Amino acid sequence: MRKQALDDEILLNIDKPVRYIGNEVNSIVKDGAGIAVRFAMCFPDLYEIGMSHLGMQILYSMFNEWEDVWCERVFSPWLDLAKLMRERNIPLFALESQDPVKEFDFLGFTLQYEMCYTNVLQVLELSGLNFYSKDRENDDPIIICGGPCTYNPEPYADFFDIVYIGEGEVSYRALFDLYKECRNGDSFDKRDFLRRASHIEGLYVPSLYETEYVSEDGVLSSFTPLYPDVPGKVSRVLLSNLTGACYPEKPIVPFMKITQDRVVLEIMRGCIRGCRFCQAGMIYRPLRERDLEELKRLAVQMLKNTGQDEISLSSLSSSDYSRLPELVDFLIEYARDNKLNISLPSLRVDAFSLDVMKKVQDVKKSSVTFAPEAGTQRLRDIINKGLTQEDILDGCSKAFLGGWNRIKLYFMLGLPGETTEDIKGIARLSERIASLYYELIPKEERRGRVQIVTSTSFFVPKPFTPFQWARQGSKEEFLEKAHIVNDEMKAQLNHKSIRYTWHDASVSVLEGALARGDRRLSKVIVRAYENGACFDAWTETFKEESWLKAFSETGISMEYYTARERKPDELLPWDFIDTGVSREFLRKEWENALMGKVTPNCREQCSGCGARRFNGGVCYEG
Amino acid sequence: MKVRVRFSKLGIMKFIGHLDVMHFFQQLLRRSDIPIAYSSGLSPHQIMSFALPLGIGLESIGEYMDIELTERVSSEEAIRRMNLNSVNGIEILSFKELPEKAQNAMASVSAADYEICPGKTGFTADALKEGLSGLFSEKEIVVLKRTKKNEQEIDIKPFIYEHSVKEDGTVFLRLSCGSVNNIKPELVMGALCKYMGAAASDTGFAIKRLDLYREDILKPGEVSGRFISLDSTGEPIK
């Protein structure tokens, strides 16, 4: 009989017990023999969110291919179960073995968004582990993390033993080998292990650095290693060539319908576009494509091994994949023969993509999406969004003539250099598109009203982007901007064809504080958690008061992190990380932004960002 | 050709709901290369129907699904492939071709057998025996039956076809089920608990469905009163 961490009575009394039982197709159960490293990999959110994440499946598959490693999964228990676990003293467990997390050698988190930080604390608490690395025992699991949030690990640095900066494929083998070596014999010395781990490329051990500030509430004045052998800079690691890299040919198939209930084919990493607000576009450079033939083989294998009926392409900008037409043709044919569906997110709208979309989806039910991000060309030049009004209107015309009458538009409010004209421009562009439909499509051919769905999010400046120095708007400013858009919408002729929604402003501001925070924020995160914050990424559970109270109780100003433009020479908390893209390049891009000067994409012309040193990808094309 | 598949759902798999079971089988059939037929139309779906949803928390060794195939595949081969691609707890037990005119499982199911272990309830075999015989000596067994829309009091006694208690305290029930008079075993056990003076909400029983039946129809409009296992319709495919 298989071990069950939760008894029947509990499983019958919680929402969606299927989240907690494991046993899915392609999940991996190993017997204890020969396992030297037990790794609990945690996505600190609900099962259905975490299981939709490709990165976790890649590492799960790679780790489990190693005979001496057994990697299992852990997710955040929803509030109903978390409460029962506390009441009954049930420790958090991994899905495969159902063993307590505390018994593992490693507990690894993937940090995909700032609003999951309190969930990390929930996982630690339910596992019976102290929040701060300095308070944990020598034999507690090594707590490590990876993911985009590691490009500023400082707000949570005090909780982690190791922060992995870069692509997981590269340095884990070296880390596990070191761990085995240090575990060999009776005495394991965690401090010695961590010290040696800091020599492995891409690994940052926060406890080995000391920070000083000009004053208690002032800027960072120094960030220094405690020992001469600990590197002062931590370099991001990455695969310079994706061909032949490990890929989950047998991804786990959840029983429940999850957010991304489909096979995911990662066609490339990185992006050539260089939008100045986009962190992913900077920290994943250079663009590296996977081999076409390999992708075809992987697609077929994964569909066969999972039995799933849908495949989706994944990348930051699929239209930039150089072999896209061949890949899409292949998939369309395979899907037709096998009664499968294809989903193609992040395609630039043009004749080719509309043609493809027509083949793979029902025009009547689907919509065409644009992300102009800003309402005027002037502001789009500031953010280096290489999408002109002409491109948008041309794409919309083609879509309307092709039979679509639903257009989705995504914008940001609060971008650097934004004026009232730019804000109103969002409404005017929406109106321009709506009226285009009525100009273009004769009355008798219209299927009802055109539907323009416009939504705005609030700009959050992120580390390692040209806007990392920028001031972020306040909640009040954000809401005022949203109201300007809303009022301007109402003044438009076709306002009945346009629906406008905007994001929660308080979450965006908090995200901004955490994104560019420093080590002083760890106590705010702990305090917010103690005040009841958890599942902050969920609208129904986000409690702003828990956070505001936490800032005031710890005497830390949120505005210090958000509403302040950084000086050019300020030492930023994340400056010790070397992503490959130089600070000089980012600074030059910030200055170009202020001048409204556009920078060409990587395929048009190299701008010398620094990523060329990784010896691969688009930097060496052609 | 039409095929009836019998499968079990045991252990931890009892926590998978009916929709997830359907989702699982759609994928299992594709993983196992079973030549399943698809409906025509814009979004084709597999032609598949289940006899009777099993509640979350119940085990079963008598679950049925009817499917339609486009090509012949031998029972042995189909069972082998499906079990190879299945998970612990869900096992394919039979795979049989249905006669063309056979009614599908969902339409014909009319009775189900259940085996109920006292589990964590702490009831002894003697207590259960005494309780059951007492309960059935009553003129009627009235319970509150909840549906999505409303709740109503009904007498379930006529729909409990058989009942007994084994030496070890295991209760056996044969209950009416299907589109009319669908009686869940929890309902009967709740009535029993109430009769015995225990909390009616007691959910400590471990319930396992053993099999599903259709009524033996002699000729149109005339039933024999006997039940035939859904597994007895159809022949193994060579």
Side-chain angles (χ1 to χ4, degrees):
Chain A
M1 203 32 200
R2 185 173 171 269
K3 183 174 167 179
Q4 214 175 296
L6 303 172
D7 65 27
D8 285 12
E9 193 243 321
I10 291 182
L11 287 167
L12 285 172
N13 283 298
I14 53 173
D15 189 33
K16 302 195 175 74
V18 62
R19 286 170 179 155
Y20 310 107
I21 60 175
N23 198 39
E24 305 95 320
V25 169
N26 297 334
S27 62
I28 290 171
V29 175
K30 295 189 175 185
D31 63 18
I35 304 296
V37 179
R38 291 192 64 183
F39 195 103
M41 191 182 297
C42 177
F43 192 111
D45 207 315
L46 285 182
Y47 176 91
E48 50 270 46
I49 305 295
M51 283 306 294
S52 303
H53 181 241
L54 175 67
M56 194 165 172
Q57 295 257 16
I58 291 179
L59 290 186
Y60 182 86
S61 154
M62 182 179 87
F63 287 179
N64 282 319
E65 269 173 34
W66 294 333
E67 277 180 11
D68 54 346
V69 180
W70 182 11
C71 174
E72 306 181 37
R73 294 158 299 147
V74 178
F75 299 98
S76 305
W78 183 240
L79 304 171
D80 57 350
L81 176 59
K83 184 166 172 277
L84 284 173
M85 291 172 80
R86 279 188 201 105
E87 283 167 10
R88 303 185 189 191
N89 259 323
I90 302 168
L92 186 64
F93 53 93
L95 296 189
E96 281 78 356
S97 64
Q98 302 269 308
D99 286 338
V101 166
K102 203 173 175 175
E103 292 173 9
F104 282 67
D105 298 292
F106 286 85
L107 169 58
F109 288 87
T110 174
L111 303 178
Q112 296 291 317
Y113 31 84
E114 289 81 4
M115 301 319 290
C116 75
Y117 294 170
T118 52
N119 281 45
V120 170
L121 299 185
Q122 186 221 34
V123 167
L124 293 175
E125 186 217 315
L126 293 174
S127 303
L129 295 163
N130 282 315
F131 296 156
Y132 290 97
S133 55
K134 64 176 169 49
D135 298 334
R136 286 193 296 265
E137 305 292 327
N138 186 57
D139 284 319
D140 280 342
I142 307 292
I143 315 287
I144 185 169
C145 63
C149 290
T150 60
Y151 291 90
N152 177 20
E154 291 308 274
Y156 57 77
D158 290 341
F159 309 142
F160 284 84
D161 298 309
I162 306 175
V163 178
Y164 186 122
I165 296 166
E167 294 173 358
E169 289 97 334
V170 183
S171 288
Y172 268 113
R173 190 62 252 182
L175 179 66
F176 294 160
D177 287 339
L178 174 68
Y179 179 77
K180 281 168 74 175
E181 193 190 318
C182 292
R183 268 276 170 210
N184 202 3
D186 319 317
S187 60
F188 172 73
D189 181 355
K190 189 193 267 183
R191 292 173 54 140
D192 172 60
F193 165 70
L194 291 176
R195 177 84 166 265
R196 292 172 65 186
S198 76
H199 304 156
I200 299 175
E201 226 191 342
L203 301 191
Y204 163 51
V205 178
S207 60
L208 298 178
Y209 297 80
E210 192 174 39
T211 54
E212 282 174 34
Y213 303 90
V214 293
S215 63
E216 206 185 314
D217 52 1
V219 298
L220 190 65
S221 57
S222 77
F223 182 94
T224 35
L226 290 173
Y227 307 99
D229 58 299
V230 176
K233 277 238 167 199
V234 181
S235 285
R236 160 185 168 233
V237 287
L238 62 99
L239 295 170
S240 53
N241 186 351
L242 297 183
T243 303
C246 150
Y247 203 78
E249 295 191 27
K250 292 184 166 185
I252 297 171
V253 192
F255 291 105
M256 71 189 296
K257 283 208 191 258
I258 57 165
T259 315
Q260 290 268 351
D261 193 23
R262 50 188 80 96
V263 160
V264 179
L265 194 61
E266 184 195 41
I267 58 176
M268 54 188 186
R269 283 185 196 167
C271 181
I272 58 171
R273 299 275 148 190
C275 301
R276 292 178 182 131
F277 56 85
C278 178
Q279 190 187 38
M282 296 291 162
I283 60 174
Y284 298 136
R285 286 182 174 218
L287 174 125
R288 290 146 291 153
E289 299 191 345
R290 284 189 195 269
D291 175 67
L292 174 67
E293 294 310 314
E294 195 171 302
L295 287 176
K296 289 184 189 171
R297 186 187 65 79
L298 284 170
V300 172
Q301 274 310 316
M302 286 193 293
L303 287 163
K304 283 198 165 146
N305 291 336
T306 60
Q308 278 169 319
D309 63 355
E310 186 170 342
I311 184 164
S312 169
L313 301 186
S314 163
S315 77
L316 292 167
S317 167
S318 298
S319 297
D320 292 328
Y321 181 59
S322 59
R323 311 291 299 275
L324 189 70
E326 293 106 304
L327 179 63
V328 166
D329 280 349
F330 171 81
L331 291 177
I332 288 177
E333 191 169 329
Y334 188 80
R336 196 190 303 123
D337 296 346
N338 294 280
K339 308 274 195 300
L340 305 166
N341 301 310
I342 304 178
S343 80
L344 301 166
S346 71
L347 275 191
R348 199 167 44 246
V349 179
D350 55 21
F352 166 75
S353 63
L354 288 170
D355 181 52
V356 168
M357 282 158 69
K358 256 193 159 157
K359 287 180 190 159
V360 304
Q361 53 187 230
D362 185 358
V363 172
K364 285 194 204 97
K365 287 182 198 150
S366 63
S367 58
V368 173
T369 305
F370 294 87
E373 311 292 2
T376 63
Q377 195 55 47
R378 192 192 69 85
L379 191 53
R380 282 194 292 274
D381 287 346
I382 289 180
I383 63 176
N384 206 43
K385 180 82 194 181
L387 182 69
T388 63
Q389 171 139 336
E390 211 183 337
D391 294 334
I392 299 166
L393 295 179
D394 186 52
C396 287
S397 309
K398 288 194 172 85
F400 292 150
L401 292 169
W404 278 274
N405 66 349
R406 252 175 83 90
I407 305 282
K408 281 191 200 162
L409 301 171
Y410 292 113
F411 294 94
M412 270 187 279
L413 284 172
L415 287 162
E418 178 190 68
T419 64
T420 311
E421 279 305 293
D422 300 311
I423 299 172
K424 290 184 173 171
I426 293 172
R428 291 172 190 158
L429 182 57
S430 307
E431 165 66 21
R432 182 75 200 85
I433 294 169
S435 60
L436 181 69
Y437 178 80
Y438 297 111
E439 286 160 30
L440 222 53
I441 309 295
K443 215 168 191 173
E444 56 280 9
E445 285 171 33
R446 290 178 204 157
R447 291 184 298 105
R449 211 177 253 168
V450 66
Q451 295 175 56
I452 313 290
V453 183
T454 300
S455 61
T456 59
S457 59
F458 297 109
F459 173 61
V460 179
K462 293 277 168 109
F464 294 107
T465 65
F467 292 161
Q468 63 177 354
W469 291 277
R471 172 184 182 277
Q472 188 188 14
S474 68
K475 185 180 161 185
E476 292 70 30
E477 287 165 339
F478 280 165
L479 289 176
E480 195 190 322
K481 288 168 199 283
H483 286 124
I484 296 175
V485 179
N486 205 30
D487 290 344
E488 187 69 12
M489 285 288 186
K490 285 182 190 149
Q492 304 301 317
L493 194 64
N494 292 300
H495 69 271
K496 283 187 177 155
S497 304
I498 308 170
R499 207 178 79 213
Y500 172 55
T501 56
W502 62 92
H503 285 203
D504 186 325
S506 44
V507 178
S508 306
V509 176
L510 182 57
E511 196 185 315
L514 294 172
R516 292 190 296 169
D518 53 38
R519 285 194 181 185
R520 291 171 290 194
L521 283 188
S522 62
K523 55 178 182 284
V524 179
I525 301 171
V526 170
R527 206 55 206 251
Y529 180 66
E530 289 165 352
N531 290 342
C534 197
F535 287 100
D536 296 312
W538 294 75
T539 332
E540 67 263 43
T541 41
F542 176 67
K543 293 188 226 94
E544 192 190 8
E545 320 80 70
S546 311
W547 282 96
L548 295 181
K549 225 172 119 205
F551 275 100
S552 76
E553 285 166 349
T554 49
I556 290 174
S557 151
M558 183 152 54
E559 291 71 33
Y560 168 82
Y561 297 99
T562 55
R564 181 172 68 88
E565 182 173 330
R566 273 75 169 160
K567 297 216 171 63
D569 60 345
E570 182 175 329
L571 180 62
L572 302 170
W574 53 91
D575 272 339
F576 72 93
I577 298 172
D578 177 7
T579 66
V581 174
S582 70
R583 201 178 198 267
E584 294 67 42
F585 171 77
L586 295 175
R587 193 69 208 173
K588 204 176 90 213
E589 278 294 282
W590 171 235
E591 283 153 13
N592 285 341
L594 297 177
M595 293 184 288
K597 199 173 147 208
V598 170
T599 297
N601 76 47
C602 299
R603 281 201 173 117
E604 288 164 352
Q605 193 197 315
C606 174
S607 302
C609 71
R612 198 179 158 85
R613 78 162 155 91
F614 293 118
N615 293 318
V618 65
C619 312
Y620 294 85
E621 264 176 20
Chain B
M1 71 198 281
K2 285 188 201 164
V3 166
R4 177 159 297 168
V5 181
R6 177 177 182 162
F7 62 95
S8 61
K9 189 169 174 251
L10 297 170
I12 198 78
M13 288 298 95
K14 70 183 171 200
F15 293 104
I16 307 296
H18 183 61
L19 286 178
D20 293 337
V21 169
M22 288 167 60
H23 187 220
F24 173 81
F25 272 97
Q26 287 158 4
Q27 295 172 336
L28 176 61
L29 290 164
R30 274 193 296 266
R31 278 198 300 276
S32 314
D33 263 324
I34 303 296
I36 177 100
Y38 284 79
S39 66
S40 48
L42 260 177
S43 49
H45 57 268
Q46 297 176 349
I47 298 178
M48 162 193 281
S49 70
F50 287 78
L52 186 71
L54 185 70
I56 288 191
L58 274 65
E59 292 187 296
S60 177
I61 53 168
E63 293 302 289
Y64 293 92
M65 158 182 92
D66 289 353
I67 55 175
E68 204 168 309
L69 300 185
T70 55
E71 282 169 52
R72 219 181 160 73
V73 52
S74 80
S75 299
E76 197 190 347
E77 176 62 11
I79 293 172
R80 187 189 68 80
R81 274 195 243 155
M82 287 174 78
N83 283 334
L84 194 70
N85 287 293
S86 187
V87 294
N88 284 329
I90 296 183
E91 190 188 351
I92 309 305
L93 304 172
S94 77
F95 188 97
K96 291 177 180 171
E97 178 171 6
L98 287 176
E100 264 314 303
K101 58 180 183 356
Q103 234 189 345
N104 76 37
M106 197 196 287
S108 59
V109 67
S110 56
D113 284 352
Y114 295 94
E115 183 183 86
I116 299 137
C117 293
K120 286 189 177 170
T121 59
F123 290 123
T124 62
D126 288 342
L128 287 166
K129 262 183 202 164
E130 198 183 317
L132 261 184
S133 69
L135 180 68
F136 279 89
S137 64
E138 300 280 308
K139 214 170 89 203
E140 48 183 23
I141 303 173
V142 175
V143 298
L144 196 63
K145 198 180 172 195
R146 288 192 181 87
T147 64
K148 271 176 199 154
K149 284 180 207 127
N150 56 7
E151 44 184 51
Q152 69 182 122
E153 287 200 328
I154 54 161
D155 174 19
I156 58 171
K157 195 175 173 188
F159 309 119
I160 302 168
Y161 299 140
E162 284 179 36
H163 61 91
S164 61
V165 184
K166 280 197 223 159
E167 285 308 308
D168 63 356
T170 309
V171 176
F172 171 83
L173 294 174
R174 176 167 290 180
L175 304 176
S176 164
C177 69
S179 51
V180 286
N181 302 321
N182 190 40
I183 306 300
K184 291 182 177 171
E186 298 94 315
L187 212 55
V188 182
M189 297 317 284
L192 178 63
C193 287
K194 201 173 157 197
Y195 179 81
M196 292 164 73
S201 64
D202 204 329
T203 53
F205 292 105
I207 308 177
K208 187 193 274 183
R209 189 188 273 170
L210 302 176
D211 206 354
L212 293 175
Y213 301 88
R214 66 178 170 87
E215 269 180 305
D216 184 19
I217 299 166
L218 301 171
K219 52 186 172 186
E222 195 181 328
V223 291
S224 67
R226 281 179 314 188
F227 290 103
I228 296 177
S229 165
L230 289 185
D231 207 11
S232 317
T233 312
E235 293 299 322
I237 309 165
K238 293 274 184 316

